[in-house]
Amino acid sequence: MGASVYLSKPGVLCAAGSNADELWNSVTDGKQDGIRKVTALNGKTFFAGRIADDVLCKPSSARYDMRIMRIEELCLRQIESDIERVKTLYGAEKIGVCVGSCDNGTEFSLAGHRTYFKSGSFPSDYSLEIQGADYVAAFIREKYLLSGPCLTFSTACSSSAGAIVKAAELLKSGICDAVIAGGVDIASDTVLMGFDSLEAVSSEITNPFSKNRHGITLGEAAAFFVMTRDMPEGNAPFARLLGWGESADAYHMTSPEPGGDGAFRAMKSALASAGLNAADVDYINLHGTGTKFNDSMEAKAVDALFGARETPVLCSTTKPLTGHTLGAAGALEAAVCFLSIVNNIGKAAGEIKLPVQVWDGVQDEQLPFLNIVSKGKNCAAGKVRVCMSNSFAFGGANSSLILGL
C-alpha cells in the first residue's frame, strides 16, 4: 500500500450523539434514545434516527439554508482546528474534499415541486443548484477557501466509504497533501416514503440478523475526517486507513447478490490491500441493515472469508442505534471503528469495550453463525488493533474499509 494514510479524530453528528465521544458512549452502552417516531408527508409513521432540531445551527456560508447543510456545518466545526492546521501546513491548493451523500436538496425541491404542481411555477427563490450532487462538497470548499479537488460520491449506502477511498487515492498519488473526507445525509420525507414503497422499512426498530427481522430503520448523520499522509501532530488521537476494497456486482438495482459474492470480494480485496489475513481482524462493523436479503448475503460473505478462524471474529451493526444513515453510513461507521481502536489503546482484555448490537438475540438459523457483540454480553476481545467497516449498497456498489494503528 506504500505510504500510510492517517485519519484525524472525526467530527460526528447523528441520532446517537452530537460528537465522537457521545457516539462512543451510545454505541458501547446500547442507547437508542435518538431513534424516534416521525410522521412523513403521506401521514405514515416510522421509526427513524433523528438529530434534535435544537442542536442544529444556521450554516455560516451556505447559499441555501437547509437541514442537510445545518447538519454538515455543525459536524465540520468539530474538526475545524484540524482543517485550519493542514491548510496552514500545505496550502489551500493541496487540500481536497471528498463527500458521500444521497440527498439532492429534497427539503427544498419537494416543497418547490408542490408549489409548481399547484400554481404552475416554482417559488421565486427556488434554484436547480440545490439539486446538484456537488453542493455538499462545494459548501466545504467555499467555507474554508480551498482550491484542491472537490468531489461528491453518490453510490447509495456506500457513498462516504467511497469518498474515503478516493481521499486515500488522492493522498497516495500526491495530488493532495490533505483531504476532508466523509459524508452527510438526512432521513427526509422523500427517503422515508421511497424506502417504504420498496417495503424495506421496519415497523419496529430494526432487528438485524434476527429470525424476526422486518427491515431497516432510517437515520441521518454527518461524519468527517481530516486525512493526511503525515501523522497528526502532538497527542491528538489518530488511526490509519490500512486498506480498502471495492466491488460492483450489479446484480440488481436494489437487491444484493444472494450469495454475497460482491461483499466477499470487497472484504477480501480490503485485506489484500492492507497486507492482512482474516485472522488479523479484531472487529467488524457489519453493514447489517435488517432486511431479509442484505443480512443473509452479508452473513454468507463474512462466513466465507472469516469462518475458518479458530476464534469467530467479533462483529456488530450499530444501525439499531443510529439508524441507517444512507450516504453517511460508511463514514459514520468508519468513525465507530476509529473510536473502537483509539479508546481501547492500552486496555487490558477485561477492560475492552466494543460497539454493541441491540437486537432480540434470536439468530436466524438459516444464516451462518455470527459472533455478535450484544448488550450485556462480554465482548471477550483480547485486543482491538484492526477493525473492518462494511458498506454494501444498491446496485452492488460494495466497499470495505480496514482501520488500524
Side-chain angles (χ1 to χ4, degrees):
M1 289 289 292
S4 292
V5 173
Y6 293 92
L7 298 98
S8 70
K9 183 176 180 179
V12 169
L13 184 61
C14 67
S18 296
N19 55 56
D21 295 332
E22 288 184 7
L23 173 64
W24 178 245
N25 290 334
S26 291
V27 299
T28 52
D29 291 343
K31 295 179 181 177
Q32 291 182 296
D33 301 355
I35 307 294
R36 306 182 178 98
K37 281 190 174 182
V38 299
T39 303
L41 280 174
N42 62 357
K44 294 192 70 171
T45 299
F46 306 93
F47 281 103
R50 276 287 169 89
I51 298 165
D53 292 339
D54 58 5
V55 307
L56 300 178
C57 57
K58 186 174 181 178
S60 57
S61 60
R63 293 186 296 279
Y64 299 98
D65 179 16
M66 49 187 168
R67 185 173 185 82
I68 194 167
M69 306 314 301
R70 292 188 172 208
I71 292 172
E72 187 171 20
E73 168 78 21
L74 194 57
C75 181
L76 289 168
R77 289 185 184 185
Q78 299 172 31
I79 59 169
E80 204 155 74
S81 60
D82 288 315
I83 295 172
E84 295 299 341
R85 179 181 64 83
V86 296
K87 185 177 175 183
T88 299
L89 278 174
Y90 306 122
E93 72 281 358
K94 295 293 286 184
I95 301 175
V97 177
C98 292
V99 183
S101 183
C102 301
D103 187 77
N104 297 111
T106 54
E107 184 179 348
F108 282 177
S109 63
L110 187 60
H113 280 83
R114 291 181 74 185
T115 299
Y116 177 84
F117 292 136
K118 183 177 180 180
S119 66
S121 61
F122 286 104
S124 59
D125 60 348
Y126 180 79
S127 170
L128 281 176
E129 182 184 10
I130 61 171
Q131 291 187 241
D134 68 311
Y135 189 58
V136 288
F139 167 63
I140 298 175
R141 189 184 195 190
E142 294 169 11
K143 176 178 172 65
Y144 295 107
L145 303 176
L146 307 175
S147 52
C150 183
L151 307 170
T152 307
F153 300 79
S154 191
T155 55
C157 312
S158 62
S159 297
S160 53
I164 289 170
V165 169
K166 181 55 65 177
E169 292 174 342
L170 289 171
L171 291 169
K172 285 182 171 292
S173 70
I175 293 173
C176 292
D177 290 329
V179 181
I180 302 164
V184 59
D185 235 326
I186 59 173
S188 66
D189 286 331
T190 302
V191 169
L192 289 167
M193 293 186 294
F195 274 85
D196 184 53
S197 71
L198 296 174
E199 300 181 347
V201 181
S202 176
S203 58
E204 304 169 348
I205 298 177
T206 189
N207 192 16
F209 301 104
S210 168
K211 179 180 180 179
N212 305 312
R213 67 190 184 276
H214 298 295
I216 67 175
T217 293
L218 293 160
E220 57 190 4
F224 286 94
F225 298 89
V226 174
M227 297 174 59
T228 60
R229 287 191 306 274
D230 300 321
M231 184 185 300
E233 297 175 345
N235 297 318
F238 67 86
R240 291 187 296 147
L241 181 64
L242 302 179
W244 59 85
E246 296 181 292
S247 68
D249 56 60
Y251 171 78
H252 186 271
M253 287 182 66
T254 57
S255 181
E257 194 279 317
D261 177 66
F264 172 85
R265 287 188 287 112
M267 290 188 291
K268 187 175 181 180
S269 295
L271 286 174
S273 71
L276 298 173
N277 298 312
D280 298 317
V281 176
D282 301 311
Y283 166 74
I284 303 174
N285 189 281
L286 301 164
H287 188 56
T289 62
T291 63
K292 178 180 179 181
F293 297 116
N294 203 290
D295 286 3
S296 174
M297 74 86 184
E298 185 172 16
K300 292 173 184 176
V302 170
D303 181 65
L305 190 56
F306 294 92
R309 285 176 41 138
E310 183 176 343
T311 303
V313 63
L314 290 160
C315 55
S316 64
T317 172
T318 42
K319 287 181 172 69
L321 309 172
T322 64
H324 185 356
T325 58
L326 305 172
L332 181 64
E333 290 158 20
V336 169
C337 288
F338 176 102
L339 296 168
S340 299
I341 294 165
V342 302
N343 286 331
N344 283 305
I345 293 174
K347 296 285 181 68
E351 300 173 327
I352 287 174
K353 289 185 177 181
L354 281 174
V356 299
Q357 179 172 317
V358 178
W359 64 314
D360 64 6
V362 183
Q363 288 212 19
D364 187 342
E365 65 273 11
Q366 295 184 13
L367 305 184
F369 171 78
L370 293 173
N371 191 18
I372 293 173
V373 182
S374 301
K375 189 174 181 179
K377 174 184 173 183
N378 190 330
C379 73
K383 60 182 176 63
V384 186
R385 295 180 61 87
V386 177
C387 295
M388 174 180 280
S389 177
N390 287 338
S391 299
F392 305 134
F394 283 172
N398 306 301
S399 295
S400 187
L401 307 176
I402 298 181
L403 279 67
L405 292 174

